[in-house]
Amino acid sequence: MTAIVLALVFLGVLFLIVGGFVFMNRRRLGSTDAARVRVGEVGGLVRSKTPVSILRDERVSEIRALNELLSGRGFIIQLEREIARAGSRQRPAEFMLFSVLYGLIGLTVALFVLGGVFATAGLLLALVPWVLLRRRQEKRSRQFEVQLPDALELLTNSLRSGYSLQAGMEFVGKETSAPLGPEITRFYEEQRLGIDVRTALVAMQERIGTDDARMFVTALLLQRETGGNLAELLMSISAIIRERLTFRGQVATLTAEPKASARVLAGMPFVMFGILYLMNPEYMQPLLTTPAGHFAIGYALVSVVIGYLLMSSIASVEM
């Protein structure tokens, strides 16, 4: 058992060093990432079978082999899209290395604290990067939803002033702040470099990943095929999105109490455990040193997670 723990510690430190080196060198490699984004290699649908590169890739060699091994696989393509939707500049190999690193750290700590079979629960720490990625996606999606109505109104005014769709999108991209502005600017640059407008629009929709963006892109594509007054269509979409935002705000207000209750009930066992341990450590020792205590801790953790997920699902409303 000691040899296994030492091996896990060694692997954890190794991944920590590699991950830290990658993180510290990200700014220096910003120009390379920017070039890849511009040519459509990262995120979206505009990609070829052979990765496009106009600059020499100076990213660390420790993860280059892993990127080459995983490139082109369906899972990795989907992971690239998920990372792009979160607004992150990580590569899939970096993300997976960090996930493995968290899992090894969790397993090592659990071996010392819980021991036995329950030590494998420490591997759940590998889910931390995925949870953080999902949270960043949700935060970015909310920003898109707030910015899109104003951007549509600005585009409408541009079209009424005599701008073409492409010129209007360029203007809106420059006048809109991140994260929506850079995505619209990227659409303009892609179609200006020769990519079909339909393909560039669908790629923008995939990067944004919200229902409002899908509705906007679908309306543009239908208008290009059937014709009609695009300015009035965009104004109608803007009004619909604003009404949806108002409705979502009302729903969020009504569901705030059960969501807060779920967080409080999920955190209460940990708080009570800490208070009792500080007040009387000897009283809590059997819970930490005996097999029955380990089983009780494992059962409690599973119960807390299941209860929190159930309460959260009840409080969440699909819209």
Side-chain angles (χ1 to χ4, degrees):
M1 180 63 68
T2 303
I4 296 176
V5 172
L6 292 176
L8 292 174
V9 171
F10 172 76
L11 290 174
V13 173
L14 177 62
F15 280 111
L16 182 62
I17 294 174
V18 173
F21 183 76
V22 171
F23 180 78
M24 289 186 294
N25 282 271
R26 291 182 68 193
R27 289 187 177 181
R28 181 175 62 84
L29 299 169
S31 59
T32 304
D33 289 333
R36 287 198 183 95
V37 169
R38 179 161 299 212
V39 298
E41 180 185 349
V42 180
L45 300 177
V46 186
R47 54 182 298 148
S48 60
K49 294 182 180 179
T50 304
V52 180
S53 178
I54 62 176
L55 293 177
R56 183 167 64 91
D57 188 4
E58 296 180 352
R59 196 173 285 272
V60 290
S61 60
E62 288 84 354
I63 63 172
R64 183 180 301 166
L66 184 57
N67 271 321
E68 293 176 354
L69 177 64
L70 299 176
S71 62
R73 305 292 179 87
F75 170 75
I76 297 305
I77 293 176
Q78 182 62 31
L79 180 58
E80 282 184 351
R81 292 175 180 173
E82 296 296 328
I83 293 174
R85 287 178 181 177
S88 175
R89 298 174 62 184
Q90 273 187 320
R91 303 298 297 275
E94 293 176 20
F95 182 84
M96 295 181 68
L97 282 176
F98 277 111
S99 182
V100 172
L101 173 62
Y102 275 96
L104 290 175
I105 293 176
L107 180 60
T108 303
V109 173
L111 281 172
F112 287 103
V113 176
L114 299 177
V117 179
F118 296 102
T120 56
L123 292 174
L124 294 176
L125 203 62
L127 299 177
V128 169
W130 300 89
V131 174
L132 295 178
L133 180 67
R134 183 63 61 182
R135 290 179 65 89
R136 290 187 63 177
Q137 286 180 340
E138 293 175 354
K139 180 181 178 180
R140 198 163 182 256
S141 296
R142 288 194 295 268
Q143 292 174 334
F144 281 131
E145 292 170 353
V146 172
Q147 288 182 306
L148 190 56
D150 293 332
L152 291 181
E153 291 183 0
L154 190 59
L155 180 58
T156 300
N157 294 331
S158 301
L159 295 174
R160 288 174 175 173
S161 300
Y163 281 67
S164 65
L165 175 62
Q166 288 82 348
M169 293 287 277
E170 179 189 17
F171 175 73
V172 173
K174 291 180 179 179
E175 296 297 326
T176 307
S177 60
L180 182 58
E183 294 296 341
I184 296 178
T185 301
R186 178 173 172 180
F187 156 78
Y188 172 76
E189 292 180 350
E190 286 180 350
Q191 61 85 29
R192 184 172 61 88
L193 292 173
I195 297 174
D196 181 65
V197 174
R198 180 186 183 89
T199 304
L201 282 173
V202 174
M204 182 182 69
Q205 169 195 310
E206 288 292 329
R207 291 192 301 270
I208 296 176
T210 64
D211 294 335
D212 296 336
R214 188 175 297 107
M215 180 170 55
F216 165 58
V217 171
T218 302
L220 284 181
L221 295 177
L222 289 175
Q223 192 276 337
R224 286 175 59 87
E225 295 179 359
T226 61
N229 193 325
L230 181 57
E232 292 185 2
L233 176 62
L234 294 179
M235 284 297 295
S236 300
I237 295 176
S238 177
I240 292 173
I241 294 176
R242 289 189 185 278
E243 292 178 0
R244 290 183 61 184
L245 286 175
T246 302
F247 178 71
R248 287 178 181 176
Q250 295 174 352
V251 171
T253 302
L254 295 175
T255 58
E257 182 178 353
K259 289 181 179 179
S261 300
R263 298 189 185 99
V264 171
L265 292 176
M268 189 177 297
F270 302 99
V271 175
M272 294 302 301
F273 176 85
I275 293 175
L276 291 175
Y277 187 83
L278 292 175
M279 293 178 59
N280 192 351
E282 295 182 358
Y283 177 76
M284 303 298 293
Q285 282 303 315
L287 194 62
L288 300 175
T289 57
T290 62
H294 295 166
F295 177 80
I297 291 177
Y299 179 79
L301 290 175
V302 173
S303 299
V304 168
V305 171
I306 293 176
Y308 177 78
L309 293 177
L310 288 175
M311 293 191 68
S312 299
S313 63
I314 293 174
S316 62
V317 179
E318 294 293 335
M319 291 181 290

